[in-house]
Amino acid sequence: MNGLTFDIAHLLAGGLVLVSFMMLYQDRLFALINVFAVHAIVLALSVAWQAYIQDAHHLYVTAAIALIFKAIVIPVGLHRIIQRLGIHRDIETAVGIGPTMLAGIGLVTLSMVLMLRVTSGADPLAREDLAFALSIILLGLLVMVTRRNAVSQVVGFMSLENGLVLAATGAKGMPLVVEISVAFSILIAFIVIGVFLFRIRERFDSVDVGALDDYRGEHR
């Protein structure tokens, strides 16, 4: 692998971490969903580049799935759900943006230190991809923990899954049947989540998970 090939792979994986930070910074739902679409596009580019490097043609299918479903179908569906439900489009956070960003920096640092030590004997590209992937997973969890809106937590979960895809492709890919089953599982989960959000909206007139906590406290 020449230096340019490695640098491009490194740039794309690092770009996913950067876009994850952009997701942490967003305080409006539409902006968060749009940034997630960018996240999916960068993931598709990263996976396609890995397919080229590894000469693994099945990874092009993974890249196409990420591009079609995650960058187009799911964001469009979430936009329509928000408009249909009339959801409040400002995101309520459990922690301020500043502390959240600092926590994100700490998690990325932890991921780099941990993975680069644990995988010291692995291929250099795989090591860095795994370190970036763990960073993306932890940042996705941070989005879920610090956001009180159910839609934003769904977006955090899907960004976390993008990190898992990056880890799998960086570690020399995964079987095509697994990739397809994961993609359909995500699509089914998206449909179920959409129905779930409709039911929450009908019952509580809100998709803020705080409303569920209040309801639970009142009926103890």
Side-chain angles (χ1 to χ4, degrees):
M1 183 186 302
N2 60 46
L4 179 61
T5 302
F6 181 88
D7 289 343
I8 293 174
H10 194 208
L11 175 65
L12 291 171
L16 276 170
V17 177
L18 177 61
V19 178
S20 292
F21 273 106
M22 291 172 62
M23 292 174 62
L24 275 178
Y25 184 75
Q26 302 306 313
D27 60 359
R28 294 186 65 82
L29 277 177
F30 280 166
L32 178 64
I33 294 169
N34 291 339
V35 173
F36 172 74
V38 174
H39 201 266
I41 291 171
V42 178
L43 174 68
L45 292 172
S46 181
V47 173
W49 187 250
Q50 288 286 347
Y52 170 74
I53 292 173
Q54 301 176 25
D55 194 26
H57 299 292
H58 68 279
L59 289 180
Y60 288 115
V61 178
T62 305
I65 289 172
L67 184 63
I68 294 170
F69 287 99
K70 294 187 176 180
I72 300 173
V73 175
I74 291 177
V76 169
L78 286 175
H79 275 289
R80 290 184 177 178
I81 286 174
I82 292 171
Q83 292 172 343
R84 178 82 177 271
L85 295 180
I87 296 172
H88 186 59
R89 295 173 189 180
D90 290 330
I91 300 174
E92 293 187 22
T93 58
V95 183
I97 295 297
T100 299
M101 297 295 284
L102 289 175
I105 293 171
L107 289 174
V108 170
T109 302
L110 176 65
S111 301
M112 295 296 177
V113 172
L114 178 63
M115 292 306 298
L116 292 179
R117 283 189 179 182
V118 171
T119 59
S120 57
D123 176 76
L125 180 58
R127 290 180 67 206
E128 296 199 4
D129 274 352
L130 288 173
F132 283 130
L134 181 58
S135 299
I136 294 163
I137 291 169
L138 293 179
L139 290 175
L141 284 172
L142 188 59
V143 171
M144 295 177 66
V145 169
T146 58
R147 294 328 190 244
R148 300 187 63 186
N149 182 283
V151 177
S152 58
Q153 291 179 348
V154 169
V155 173
F157 172 77
M158 291 188 295
S159 70
L160 179 156
E161 198 272 336
N162 285 351
L164 294 175
V165 172
L166 179 66
T169 55
K172 305 304 180 184
M174 55 181 162
L176 181 59
V177 65
V178 175
E179 295 164 7
I180 293 175
S181 65
V182 167
F184 278 104
S185 297
I186 292 171
L187 185 60
I188 292 170
F190 172 71
I191 295 171
V192 171
I193 287 167
V195 174
F196 181 60
L197 290 175
F198 274 102
R199 296 294 296 168
I200 291 177
R201 179 66 176 178
E202 289 175 359
R203 181 66 183 83
F204 300 102
D205 197 33
S206 172
V207 292
D208 187 333
V209 294
L212 299 178
D213 292 334
D214 294 340
Y215 179 81
R216 183 176 58 186
E218 290 172 359
H219 288 75
R220 281 178 178 172

